[in-house]
Amino acid sequence: MPQAVIAIHGGAGTITRAAMDANREREYTTALEQVLLAGQRVLADGGSALDAVTEAVRLLEECPLFNAGRGAVLTNAGTYELDAAVMNGATLDTGAVACVKRVRNPVLAARAVLDHSEHVLFAAEGAEAFAEAQGLELVAPEYYFTQARHDQWVRARASSGMALLDHDAATLAAQAAQVAGGAADPIDPDSKFGTVGAVACDAAGNLAAATSTGGVTNKQVGRVGDTPIVGAGCYADDVAAVSATGTGEMFIRTVAAYDVSAQMRYAGLSLEESARRVVMEKLPAIGGRGGLIAVDRAGNVTLPFNTEGMYRGVARVGEPVNVWIYG
Amino acid sequence: MPQAVIAIHGGAGTITRAAMDANREREYTTALEQVLLAGQRVLADGGSALDAVTEAVRLLEECPLFNAGRGAVLTNAGTYELDAAVMNGATLDTGAVACVKRVRNPVLAARAVLDHSEHVLFAAEGAEAFAEAQGLELVAPEYYFTQARHDQWVRARASSGMALLDHDAATLAAQAAQVAGGAADPIDPDSKFGTVGAVACDAAGNLAAATSTGGVTNKQVGRVGDTPIVGAGCYADDVAAVSATGTGEMFIRTVAAYDVSAQMRYAGLSLEESARRVVMEKLPAIGGRGGLIAVDRAGNVTLPFNTEGMYRGVARVGEPVNVWIYG
């Protein structure tokens, strides 16, 4: 019997130490610890890996520090479009939603798809209609708003030279100047990605993964990244469970999450070596930046990333939780 | 140098011989041959595998016999939602669209994403906005209409016991009775899936794949199947190119298309054996039905399916084309 374990991430990128003072660092560290403790509690109470990752990602969505749920980034239209997926390694059952604009917790919509639909992926209005029919909480777009993400969006638009509406321009320029000195998200706004995720192995040796995101700042409306794509940003089977974060397009093109499992199953590599090859070799070969968290059914955990930092942590049942930010 | 080759499929399922008289069979056979000849011509003229599969799938979308583009099936709302993907094995570049309702040729929208966007997947209105900005032809929903698909939808709704609007019920019941004897799509409406696709190896040994679909009859609005998911319904790298058709949810859960390549790369299996394991072992293990077409860089082709039939064909440059329907 493996020792039950959960690992989480809150996004990878150029996490600038300059923007990260002691208070800010404590905020992130505390948030990660609280989520890990909650996931650890699910597992300690005999809960499944699937329930543990769902709860951990729900809490990460609730926390405005991370780019998922409340705290999500804005599209180039100034709107929010969220994606999430969850997968049960024991059964290969999966559920995912893409481009939802009104669901408070996209991971719960993904879980409802897994539990209650013959389909596995719903997009846009159809995804919202499904979530609503399942009784999930819908919110107004303002719910997702955080000043830090808004400021990040203003900077992204300014640096991309994108035209602003006249009545917005002065206000936004003033805001941009005001926040340019810092106080915003410590992930460098020039590497504008972030995602949250969790992987777990429960006491029965079953694996599960969940991933959720607001996407990339100033993304084109309708863009879907790797998060809701089974095999790319989220995957679990009876060999490994994986949740990824980074430049989503490259994770799709390399089928990054499934590739960790495939290398273990077909080439006999270890979890750590499979994950290392994906993150340190296959992704960089096409310009992919980011990282992933992965667990195997023996309870081994690996957390590789090719960026300056990745918000991440691990909690084994019966042991203290551990969180890290930098490399 | 491999001999350039293209293979195509027009969907798999319980293709009932009862519904397939000689005229009907000739219609399908001729359509498949015409598409193969066009793809073969692209390759013979020195065109890339990517151009050959794009053109072949565009022609399959134009043909009302197949469930993609014109001839697409209807959702449970009586609307059309189309998906497509294309991938260049030489570069791992890919483009895909999901849930488009007004794009005449979804595969051309997918190709435009591949050629002109930093993103790889767009959904719903965002996908249409992108296609429109790229100058692609938009159509009214009536463009996709075919009587056979409409009748199939009527039967599906009747057999699912789904409530019909009062003013529709009598008409639809009458239509259903009228068409119950046949004349519709020879793919059994009880196994309501179908997709088109192409894979090719060009004279330079580069591989490409493209897939396009209207989805499954009477699907819930917003449902996305395996077709636009890189690694599930469409995949190409420097080892293999794969296009799939079948119960899409199971192809997503098994990462079916990429798994063909992964088993070759990591386990050293042949193209044929890798594809056989996916279609005859991994998919049936979770109730997956359908098939796939695959080509490797030596120009080997395999066309396995676990259903009664699959519309399919192969054309090598300089040789006659071959098409088949049954097992």
Side-chain angles (χ1 to χ4, degrees):
Chain A
M1 292 262 284
Q3 182 186 21
V5 61
I6 184 167
I8 63 171
H9 70 80
T14 306
I15 300 175
T16 53
R17 285 178 192 265
M20 184 67 97
D21 59 29
N23 281 339
R24 200 98 182 117
E25 196 166 311
R26 198 172 312 116
E27 263 191 304
Y28 277 92
T29 301
T30 303
L32 293 169
E33 285 170 349
Q34 293 303 315
V35 172
L36 281 169
L37 287 169
Q40 188 186 48
R41 200 172 311 124
V42 172
L43 295 172
D45 292 346
S48 69
L50 182 62
D51 284 343
V53 297
T54 304
E55 176 62 6
V57 169
R58 186 188 71 79
L59 291 171
L60 287 161
E61 288 176 343
E62 291 288 302
C63 178
L65 294 173
F66 304 107
N67 174 19
R70 190 162 160 245
V73 300
L74 290 93
T75 70
N76 64 353
T79 55
Y80 299 94
E81 293 189 348
L82 300 92
D83 307 325
V86 59
M87 189 160 187
N88 183 353
T91 59
L92 297 181
D93 285 331
T94 180
V97 293
C99 296
V100 296
K101 301 174 182 181
R102 299 187 299 142
V103 178
R104 175 169 176 150
N105 291 110
V107 74
L108 296 185
R111 179 64 189 270
V113 173
L114 184 154
D115 286 338
H116 303 299
S117 177
E118 61 178 331
H119 300 318
V120 305
L121 172 59
F122 285 98
E125 284 83 357
E128 286 176 359
F130 178 84
E132 190 165 17
Q134 291 293 321
L136 295 180
E137 184 178 348
L138 301 186
V139 293
E142 292 73 38
Y143 166 78
Y144 305 115
F145 179 88
T146 56
Q147 192 64 47
R149 297 299 180 192
H150 182 266
D151 297 342
Q152 193 178 46
W153 176 68
V154 170
R155 288 196 302 275
R157 287 168 70 87
S159 70
S160 72
M162 179 169 289
L164 298 175
L165 294 176
D166 281 347
H167 67 277
D168 284 347
T171 318
L172 296 185
Q175 286 177 337
Q178 190 185 331
V179 303
D185 182 350
I187 288 191
D188 180 355
D190 292 337
S191 50
K192 303 172 285 289
F193 44 88
T195 299
V196 307
V199 295
C201 175
D202 60 30
N206 290 324
L207 305 175
T211 313
S212 180
T213 193
V216 293
T217 298
N218 210 34
K219 67 183 177 183
Q220 276 188 263
V221 169
R223 175 263 189 184
V224 179
D226 62 319
T227 296
I229 307 302
V230 167
C234 184
Y235 183 76
D237 58 19
D238 58 1
V239 169
V242 182
S243 173
T245 172
T247 49
E249 280 69 13
M250 288 71 168
F251 285 71
I252 291 177
R253 292 164 61 197
T254 55
V255 200
Y258 176 63
D259 204 42
V260 174
S261 166
Q263 292 185 79
M264 294 173 71
R265 186 184 299 271
Y266 300 134
L269 298 185
S270 68
L271 177 80
E272 187 177 358
E273 178 59 13
S274 292
R276 191 196 66 75
R277 290 189 187 190
V278 170
V279 174
M280 300 305 183
E281 295 175 5
K282 298 187 82 164
L283 283 165
I286 58 168
R289 300 181 59 238
L292 60 79
I293 58 175
V295 60
D296 66 18
R297 60 185 304 158
N300 296 305
V301 171
T302 188
L303 315 161
F305 53 97
N306 62 31
T307 48
E308 193 185 318
M310 179 167 79
Y311 300 114
R312 64 200 188 281
V314 178
R316 294 183 184 279
V317 168
E319 294 186 12
V321 305
N322 285 294
V323 305
W324 304 271
I325 296 177
Y326 308 106
Chain B
M1 292 263 284
Q3 183 185 20
V5 61
I6 184 167
I8 63 171
H9 70 79
T14 307
I15 301 175
T16 54
R17 285 177 193 267
M20 184 68 96
D21 60 27
N23 283 337
R24 199 97 182 117
E25 195 166 310
R26 196 173 313 114
E27 263 190 304
Y28 277 91
T29 300
T30 304
L32 292 169
E33 285 171 350
Q34 294 303 315
V35 173
L36 281 169
L37 287 168
Q40 188 185 48
R41 200 173 311 125
V42 173
L43 295 172
D45 292 347
S48 68
L50 182 63
D51 284 342
V53 297
T54 304
E55 176 63 4
V57 170
R58 186 188 71 79
L59 291 170
L60 287 162
E61 288 176 344
E62 291 288 302
C63 178
L65 294 174
F66 304 106
N67 174 19
R70 191 163 159 243
V73 300
L74 291 92
T75 69
N76 65 352
T79 55
Y80 300 94
E81 293 189 348
L82 300 92
D83 307 324
V86 59
M87 190 161 186
N88 183 353
T91 60
L92 297 182
D93 284 332
T94 180
V97 293
C99 296
V100 296
K101 301 174 181 180
R102 300 187 300 141
V103 178
R104 175 170 177 149
N105 292 109
V107 73
L108 296 185
R111 179 63 188 270
V113 173
L114 184 155
D115 287 338
H116 303 299
S117 177
E118 61 177 331
H119 300 318
V120 304
L121 172 59
F122 284 98
E125 285 82 357
E128 286 177 359
F130 178 85
E132 189 166 17
Q134 291 291 322
L136 295 181
E137 185 179 348
L138 301 186
V139 293
E142 293 73 38
Y143 167 79
Y144 304 116
F145 179 88
T146 57
Q147 192 64 46
R149 297 300 177 190
H150 181 267
D151 297 342
Q152 194 178 45
W153 175 68
V154 170
R155 287 196 303 277
R157 287 168 69 86
S159 70
S160 72
M162 179 169 290
L164 298 175
L165 294 176
D166 281 347
H167 67 276
D168 283 348
T171 318
L172 297 184
Q175 286 177 338
Q178 190 185 332
V179 302
D185 182 350
I187 288 191
D188 179 355
D190 291 336
S191 51
K192 303 171 286 288
F193 45 86
T195 299
V196 306
V199 295
C201 174
D202 61 30
N206 290 322
L207 306 175
T211 313
S212 180
T213 193
V216 293
T217 298
N218 210 33
K219 68 183 177 184
Q220 275 189 264
V221 168
R223 176 262 190 185
V224 180
D226 61 320
T227 297
I229 306 301
V230 166
C234 184
Y235 183 76
D237 58 19
D238 58 1
V239 169
V242 182
S243 174
T245 172
T247 48
E249 280 69 14
M250 287 74 168
F251 285 70
I252 291 176
R253 292 165 60 196
T254 55
V255 199
Y258 176 63
D259 204 43
V260 174
S261 166
Q263 292 185 81
M264 295 173 71
R265 187 184 298 272
Y266 301 134
L269 298 184
S270 69
L271 178 80
E272 187 177 358
E273 177 60 12
S274 293
R276 190 196 65 75
R277 292 190 185 190
V278 169
V279 173
M280 301 305 184
E281 295 175 5
K282 298 188 79 164
L283 282 165
I286 58 167
R289 299 181 60 238
L292 60 80
I293 57 174
V295 59
D296 66 18
R297 59 184 306 157
N300 296 305
V301 171
T302 189
L303 316 162
F305 53 98
N306 62 32
T307 48
E308 193 186 317
M310 179 166 79
Y311 300 115
R312 63 202 188 279
V314 178
R316 293 183 185 279
V317 168
E319 294 185 14
V321 305
N322 285 294
V323 305
W324 305 271
I325 296 178
Y326 309 106

